[in-house]
Amino acid sequence: MQLLSTNEPVVSVDWLHANLREPNVKVLDASWYMPDEQRKPLLEYQTAHIPGALFYDIDGISDRTTNLPHMFPSEEAFAAAISALSFENKDSIIVYDGKGIFSAARVWWMFRVFGHNRIWVLDGGLPRWRASGFHVESSASSDNISKTCEAVEKVYKGEQVGPITFQTNFRPHLVWKLEQVQKNIEEQTHQHLDARSKARFDGVAPEPRKGINSGHISRSKCIPFPQMLDGSQTLLPEAELKNTFEKEGISLDSPVILSCGTGVTACILALGLHRLGKIDIPVYDGSWTEWATNFGLTVDPSQV
């Protein structure tokens, strides 16, 4: 098997096709969609997925102690969920989604936060795989989904879970909380980048979740996540990515903190920054949904 560099965050469909049968190459379908898209990722996975891929439930493998959607699970819960998939730390994990590069970036980032760097996003995802003429398979089974969610539930209930085959090493400095973002507004130790659309950032388009006002966190800047990708939903080359950040006045030599709506698309910015050598960028997990829920209309959308 041709070895992959963890300095590069994505892998091509050609590489995966050539190495799909390697015993230590594991594939995850981490498809997830915005609430207003009316798409069902599990059903899509069952209809067509890369051969041997297992389904990663972003909403299911999450914190059970908050009302915020798909927040970071505890270290114990994540280890139990990934062990339920029979994954081990020696595995090279390739994660993809049904859009190209979207929710897969979130799972890539989560694995890295939990200390597993042998993970890559499939560049262009399932659409690129299928466009290349590579085979897909279908499966009516949802056993692995129920196993992972069951394992998470058990951990949060304090119940015994099955054998742990996947060891974690949580790096908490990569998962920012609301208080840290508040502090950063005053101290400005990190440049704050928001991956949502400019219209949502400016407060002129609605948020996809009901009851959440649009706008943005004071002193943050907007770089919508599609600016990391080309027309075929693959990660842009280094030079183009660098130009995108520089155009917004972002210094690649200074620390960065990322946010979005609920911590998913911010990880696409992390993917782009990783390609530029800024490894392991922190993400504000609760992002705008938590911020707006706590501060409501006291946040001035026009305040930068």
Side-chain angles (χ1 to χ4, degrees):
M1 181 179 76
Q2 178 191 353
L3 293 177
L4 294 170
S5 168
T6 53
N7 291 329
E8 177 57 39
V10 297
V11 62
S12 71
V13 293
D14 291 333
W15 185 93
L16 180 58
H17 185 256
N19 292 278
L20 194 58
R21 305 298 174 193
E22 293 288 338
N24 289 343
V25 172
K26 303 292 174 66
V27 185
L28 283 178
D29 182 327
S31 298
W32 175 91
Y33 304 104
M34 299 293 281
D36 56 355
E37 291 184 86
Q38 302 293 303
R39 290 179 67 171
K40 298 179 178 178
L42 176 55
L43 183 61
E44 291 186 17
Y45 163 80
Q46 291 171 327
T47 303
H49 57 263
I50 292 174
L54 298 177
F55 187 76
Y56 183 103
D57 186 348
I58 283 180
D59 286 325
I61 304 174
S62 62
D63 185 1
R64 296 294 197 270
T65 66
T66 176
N67 291 326
L68 293 167
H70 48 253
M71 291 294 98
F72 231 73
S74 69
E75 190 170 5
E76 295 77 16
F78 187 81
I82 304 308
S83 295
L85 297 172
S86 300
F87 282 18
E88 300 178 30
N89 297 87
K90 66 183 179 182
D91 292 329
S92 294
I93 302 170
I94 313 299
V95 59
Y96 73 90
D97 59 58
K99 279 194 164 184
I101 291 181
F102 188 62
S103 52
R106 166 74 175 184
V107 177
W108 164 84
W109 178 77
M110 286 179 71
F111 269 91
R112 293 185 64 86
V113 171
F114 281 119
H116 186 80
N117 292 341
R118 299 195 57 73
I119 182 158
W120 295 265
V121 171
L122 183 65
D123 210 10
L126 187 61
R128 182 86 172 208
W129 177 270
R130 300 190 78 164
S132 300
F134 297 144
H135 179 63
V136 294
E137 64 182 16
S138 60
S139 168
S141 171
S142 59
D143 285 353
N144 77 283
I145 299 99
S146 55
K147 281 180 185 175
T148 55
C149 293
E150 192 178 286
V152 172
E153 289 283 357
K154 281 185 175 181
V155 169
Y156 278 99
K157 288 177 180 175
E159 298 175 7
Q160 193 73 30
V161 293
I164 300 301
T165 59
F166 187 88
Q167 306 299 323
T168 53
N169 179 24
F170 182 45
R171 297 188 282 176
H173 64 283
L174 297 178
V175 187
W176 273 36
K177 299 185 183 300
L178 183 144
E179 296 76 22
Q180 290 169 281
V181 178
Q182 281 182 298
K183 188 177 179 184
N184 189 60
I185 292 173
E186 301 302 322
E187 299 183 356
Q188 286 288 282
T189 58
H190 290 61
Q191 304 163 99
H192 187 153
L193 305 185
D194 189 322
R196 292 174 303 148
S197 71
K198 191 71 166 66
R200 286 168 62 190
F201 181 86
D202 288 340
V204 297
E207 288 294 303
R209 288 179 173 77
K210 292 178 181 177
I212 304 295
N213 296 301
S214 58
H216 65 262
I217 296 168
S218 180
R219 305 183 80 173
S220 61
K221 291 184 176 182
C222 181
I223 297 186
F225 74 86
Q227 293 186 22
M228 299 293 101
L229 311 172
D230 65 15
S232 62
Q233 300 301 295
T234 57
L235 194 62
L236 285 170
E238 194 172 323
E240 291 181 49
L241 289 169
K242 190 175 182 182
N243 184 51
T244 297
F245 287 106
E246 288 179 347
K247 272 197 308 185
E248 291 300 324
I250 305 305
S251 168
L252 295 173
D253 297 322
S254 301
V256 170
I257 170 68
L258 306 171
S259 68
C260 53
T262 56
V264 175
T265 59
C267 300
I268 302 173
L269 295 189
L271 206 68
L273 287 163
H274 192 108
R275 173 164 272 181
L276 294 176
K278 288 186 77 67
I279 309 296
D280 294 333
I281 302 295
V283 170
Y284 170 30
D285 200 26
S287 281
W288 179 251
T289 297
E290 181 183 42
W291 189 271
T293 300
N294 277 269
F295 295 108
L297 290 173
T298 61
V299 179
D300 178 1
S302 65
Q303 187 181 13
V304 178

